[in-house]
Amino acid sequence: YLLKLVDDGSLNILWEIRCPDFDCNSVILRTHNLSEIMGKEIECDYCENGLLVRRQHVFPVFEINDDFREFLKQSKKKQVNYLHAL
């Protein structure tokens, strides 16, 4: 379902690289272009461990597109608050 929303432009997909150290588990970076980072050596800013980026370190993250966010705000404003009207 979320990928359908990416296709229609409502959501953007980002790729999150997380530190594999269970004590750390920090988000190292987020990127739109996964091919730029795959197979690269990066370092965690928190625990300073080095990491060769592989599939197991990559997680999809979805964010609301700015235009869709504005549409949701406007549609929320147009809804009638029946309890408030009483």
Side-chain angles (χ1 to χ4, degrees), residues 25-79:
N25 198 30
S26 300
V27 174
I28 298 174
L29 66 91
R30 287 188 180 142
T31 183
H32 287 281
N33 190 348
L34 189 57
S35 62
E36 288 180 354
I37 197 71
M38 288 301 286
K40 302 274 171 101
E41 182 78 27
I42 59 175
E43 184 177 289
C44 178
D45 292 334
Y46 299 99
C47 68
E48 298 180 355
N49 286 334
L51 167 71
L52 178 62
V53 179
R54 296 190 179 155
R55 286 186 194 191
Q56 64 263 29
H57 307 122
V58 179
F59 300 88
V61 178
F62 298 91
E63 69 179 6
I64 298 175
N65 178 305
D66 290 336
D67 293 335
F68 188 59
R69 183 187 316 270
E70 189 59 34
F71 168 77
L72 292 174
K73 284 181 185 178
Q74 294 304 320
S75 65
K76 182 71 174 170
K77 287 180 185 177
K78 290 179 184 178
Q79 289 179 354

Side-chain angles (χ1 to χ4, degrees), residues 1-15 32 60-65 68:
Y1 179 76
L2 292 175
L3 291 176
K4 286 181 183 179
L5 291 174
V6 169
D7 288 341
D8 78 8
S10 300
L11 296 178
N12 298 323
I13 190 167
L14 297 168
W15 301 99
H32 287 281
V61 178
F62 298 91
E63 69 179 6
I64 298 175
N65 178 305
F68 188 59

